[in-house]
Amino acid sequence: MRILLVGDNSDSAGFLVDQLYQMENEYQVNVVTWSLCTSSAVNETDLILVNDYERGDCEKLVQLRRRTNLPVFLIATIQDDGTLAQLYASGVDDHLVQPISYPILSAKLRVWQRWTMRSVTKLLHTAIF
């Protein structure tokens, strides 16, 4: 699975990339800041993982969602329902609260990978028949 890791905190991104590479699944991770989250970077990925959400990132999420229908997964410290509802409305598909459990992250990524494969299979089946 090709993951685009978006965030402006390089320390936490580096640690997260290390953890993803240690998981049993094969992940190819491309790390970019918000300013480098271009259409070409998005087009070369299967899932977008947003790390280190900050309050002003809602508009960035809306803009990201306008460019792609790829799954957007958020890792953040936010736990209040109002903010989470706003994030989901902005385009987030799923989230995990920091500090994260890497076994849970791995399980969720496998679910998204399975969902993505089903969607592609269904699309191909519809196109053929």
Side-chain angles (χ1 to χ4, degrees):
M1 173 185 277
R2 299 170 303 168
I3 298 173
L4 181 65
L5 178 59
V6 181
D8 290 329
N9 184 330
S10 60
D11 290 338
S12 66
F15 183 75
L16 185 56
V17 168
D18 289 343
Q19 293 299 312
L20 287 168
Y21 281 133
Q22 291 177 21
M23 292 180 188
E24 68 273 5
N25 296 312
E26 291 186 20
Y27 299 117
Q28 298 172 350
V29 184
N30 183 19
V31 181
V32 297
T33 61
W34 277 109
S35 62
L36 297 175
C37 187
T38 62
S39 294
S40 62
V42 169
N43 291 337
E44 298 174 7
T45 191
D46 301 312
L47 178 136
I48 300 168
L49 188 59
V50 176
N51 190 34
D52 296 324
Y53 166 81
E54 294 183 17
R55 296 275 179 209
D57 289 344
C58 260
E59 184 56 34
K60 294 175 185 175
L61 291 167
V62 169
Q63 291 171 11
L64 181 62
R65 178 52 67 208
R66 286 182 186 146
R67 290 196 315 252
T68 184
N69 284 326
L70 290 172
V72 176
F73 192 94
L74 176 71
I75 297 176
T77 57
I78 297 161
Q79 295 184 20
D80 77 89
D81 291 344
T83 302
L84 287 172
Q86 184 180 19
L87 290 167
Y88 280 105
S90 298
V92 170
D93 294 302
D94 201 354
H95 82 285
L96 194 61
V97 177
Q98 288 178 325
I100 62 174
S101 160
Y102 290 100
I104 296 298
L105 175 60
S106 181
K108 286 189 174 214
L109 290 174
R110 281 192 308 272
V111 168
W112 278 108
Q113 188 173 23
R114 194 169 51 241
W115 179 85
T116 301
M117 291 305 295
R118 281 189 205 145
S119 297
V120 168
T121 303
K122 185 176 181 179
L123 180 64
L124 289 173
H125 184 271
T126 303
I128 293 170
F129 299 103

